[in-house]
Amino acid sequence: MKKEWPLWEVFVRSKNGLEHRHFGSLHAADAEMALENARDVYTRRSEGVSIWVVESKYITASNPEDNGELFEPAQDKVYRHPTFYDLPDEVKHM
Amino acid sequence: MSEKEIKNLEEIFEARIARDDKIEPKDWMPEKYRKTHIRQISQHAHSEVVGMLPEGNWITRAPSLRRKAALLAKVQDEGGHGLYLYSAAETLGISREEMYEQLHSGKAKYSSIFNYPSITWADIGAIGWLVDGAAIINQVALCGTSFGPYARAMVRICKEESFHQRQGYEIMLTLSRGTEEQKAMAQDALNRWWWPSLMMFGPRDEDSPHTAQSMKWKLKRKTNDELRQQFVDQTVPQADILGISVPDPDLKFNSETGHYEFGEINWDEFWQVVKGHGPCNKERMEARVGAWEGGAWVRDAAMAYAEKQEKRKVAKAS
Ligand SMILES: [Fe+2]
Ligand SMILES: [Fe+2]
């Protein structure tokens, strides 16, 4: 075999009103085949109403090594949450 | 990285698993964890794919359209299971081609049960009931395993498996309520598939040196012998309902423990089949290698077509 079929990531919207969610991956020669294979592999039991496929090489992912830098700063920003604010119990609907 | 740093990372890693954190592909992991997972997940994938062969044997000869549609759907599911698992293994840095190569060269193993022949229609019933039944027990235990992509594949697979076992049992039920010949077919299939099904749980605990490590990584939640016992306990009453008997003279219910006691497994046979000397090892590999080699020109043609279309698109755009 000359060349392995590229890898694609599959995203499926399970029903209208919900977002597309990552379902898995598969190999296919081109986008059209990736869509057809995704339909056969991931929606055999009415799991979806819409499919996106994207070649895996186009996804840029954050690196777990950078998790501290990226996500820890959010931890001491408690004032971004409603519970940070002290209001008397008499205040309703807030 | 110094040895001390690695040791430190390993400790953090083990602690994460202990508190039920999932490990994702890009996370740091010990080499042994990566290798063990590539081996187990790819062998699991191979089992799904080779497992299509004994059942595929009967698709064209299923006794009714209803049975044919169900069997076709089941075999298609198994192909899908193989794909979910190959994808999970690929996230650990092995290519699909490499895994196929390991299967085809005999370097990688697959479940030995698929090296037994499916010689009558009743075997399709017995496979669904017993082989999928045993697989479900193994796979349910893996839904909580520590490697995220493997655990997610297992959850999907377990959802799909339950119909497999039910369709098999329904075949057995129909046969065992049919003519004398049909009932005899059901009994014969149970006779031949019972012991190989018990072997699906692997060697006895005392002959299974990696159990402790696998437990730690949650690749196992119960030992081989515990899972095997669970299978016997749940399956014997199902055989009773069919009115056919489990081929084990030593089988008896122990009312004190609440468990069935059963006879000794033929471990020589088990190791023979694992080492490649089962009734169908050669045939199965010939079928797989034949499909891969015979399909090469199709894969190449599809790739060439995709490249040509891509070039055309680029040319048009410029
Ligand atoms: Fe399966
Ligand atoms: Fe199955």
Side-chain angles (χ1 to χ4, degrees):
Chain A
M1 166 141 198
K2 288 170 223 143
K3 207 167 169 193
E4 197 168 354
W5 286 355
L7 189 67
W8 300 74
E9 300 302 320
V10 179
F11 300 82
V12 176
R13 183 201 296 289
S14 50
K15 62 177 189 186
N16 275 4
L18 295 179
E19 61 280 73
H20 286 76
R21 196 166 61 79
H22 185 238
F23 261 45
S25 49
L26 47 78
H27 289 272
D30 57 26
E32 197 186 330
M33 188 195 287
L35 264 186
E36 283 165 5
N37 289 357
R39 172 219 174 248
D40 287 346
V41 176
Y42 292 108
T43 63
R44 287 198 304 284
R45 290 178 175 80
S46 318
E47 290 96 334
V49 294
S50 162
I51 304 173
W52 291 347
V53 291
V54 58
E55 224 183 302
S56 309
K57 69 177 183 197
Y58 294 121
I59 290 181
T60 308
S62 69
N63 196 323
E65 276 161 36
D66 303 331
N67 276 11
E69 203 178 306
L70 288 175
F71 306 119
E72 270 166 29
Q75 282 168 16
D76 58 12
K77 312 247 177 337
V78 278
Y79 46 85
R80 283 180 176 152
H81 299 276
T83 46
F84 178 73
Y85 301 92
D86 279 327
L87 300 186
D89 289 346
E90 303 92 89
V91 182
K92 302 292 180 206
H93 309 295
M94 201 179 279
Chain B
M1 236 183 297
S2 77
E3 228 166 86
K4 201 174 152 218
E5 279 170 311
I6 290 178
K7 189 129 195 347
N8 193 18
L9 281 172
E10 271 173 13
E11 270 164 28
I12 296 170
F13 180 84
E14 300 288 351
R16 283 182 63 190
I17 292 179
R19 63 168 184 268
D20 263 333
D21 236 14
K22 297 290 177 197
I23 307 302
E24 294 296 342
K26 292 184 82 175
D27 292 346
W28 184 88
M29 60 186 77
E31 256 329 280
K32 199 172 162 215
Y33 182 92
R34 181 186 302 277
K35 287 212 175 99
T36 303
H37 277 75
I38 287 178
R39 194 182 61 234
Q40 173 159 338
I41 300 170
S42 64
Q43 297 194 357
H44 194 161
H46 299 327
S47 302
E48 302 283 353
V49 169
V50 178
M52 291 192 281
L53 297 170
E55 292 183 292
N57 186 31
W58 281 91
I59 290 174
T60 55
R61 291 172 288 159
S64 68
L65 187 57
R66 183 177 185 274
R67 294 288 185 222
K68 187 177 192 162
L71 184 58
L72 200 54
K74 181 199 188 278
V75 172
Q76 191 187 15
D77 273 357
E78 306 300 5
H81 296 174
L83 186 130
Y84 307 153
L85 290 160
Y86 281 129
S87 304
E90 280 173 87
T91 66
L92 289 167
I94 186 169
S95 74
R96 184 77 64 89
E97 295 238 309
E98 237 176 307
M99 288 187 272
Y100 288 157
E101 159 56 29
Q102 290 175 351
L103 172 68
H104 297 163
S105 68
K107 192 177 162 228
K109 301 274 177 252
Y110 54 89
S111 185
S112 282
I113 191 90
F114 302 119
N115 289 316
Y116 290 86
S118 51
I119 55 181
T120 76
W121 171 251
D123 289 13
I124 299 307
I127 290 173
W129 172 35
L130 302 171
V131 178
D132 286 81
I136 290 169
I137 288 182
N138 274 328
Q139 292 176 154
V140 166
L142 281 169
C143 287
T145 195
S146 61
F147 185 55
Y150 195 25
R152 290 192 286 276
M154 278 301 116
V155 170
R156 289 190 72 82
I157 287 175
C158 285
K159 265 189 213 153
E160 300 184 353
E161 283 292 348
S162 66
F163 117 73
H164 298 181
Q165 196 187 15
R166 289 174 68 99
Q167 67 89 34
Y169 192 76
E170 198 196 70
I171 292 172
M172 295 300 276
L173 204 59
T174 306
L175 290 171
S176 62
R177 289 177 181 170
T179 63
E180 275 311 306
E181 285 97 325
Q182 286 172 323
K183 196 171 171 184
M185 272 171 73
Q187 180 65 60
D188 166 64
L190 175 58
N191 291 349
R192 284 179 292 107
W193 290 93
W194 175 253
W195 290 106
S197 299
L198 294 195
M199 294 176 197
M200 281 178 73
F201 297 96
R204 278 178 303 220
D205 292 349
E206 60 263 39
D207 302 321
S208 181
H210 303 302
T211 297
Q213 179 67 83
S214 297
M215 288 274 197
K216 220 160 113 195
W217 288 341
K218 300 180 178 168
L219 270 170
K220 269 187 183 160
R221 310 307 287 256
K222 290 179 182 168
T223 70
N224 295 355
D225 286 334
E226 284 169 340
L227 293 171
R228 186 164 18 243
Q229 183 67 53
Q230 186 184 334
F231 177 76
V232 173
D233 288 342
Q234 77 177 42
T235 308
V236 174
Q238 294 167 352
D240 293 342
I241 292 171
L242 295 174
I244 54 181
S245 50
V246 172
D248 178 0
D250 297 324
L251 184 78
K252 60 172 187 287
F253 187 69
N254 182 329
S255 53
E256 258 164 51
T257 61
H259 295 294
Y260 283 90
E261 289 166 5
F262 52 97
E264 191 58 39
I265 289 168
N266 183 346
W267 293 110
D268 287 341
E269 178 183 323
F270 173 78
W271 290 115
Q272 280 298 312
V273 183
V274 170
K275 284 179 188 138
H277 310 300
C280 300
N281 296 59
K282 211 171 145 260
E283 188 184 327
R284 300 292 183 239
M285 268 320 96
E286 276 167 11
R288 282 317 311 158
V289 174
W292 179 247
E293 287 175 355
W297 71 270
V298 181
R299 295 192 300 276
D300 289 344
M303 204 60 235
Y305 175 77
E307 279 166 356
K308 198 170 89 185
Q309 293 298 103
E310 190 57 37
K311 261 186 220 139
R312 262 191 207 156
K313 226 173 28 188
V314 175
K316 234 186 227 165
S318 59

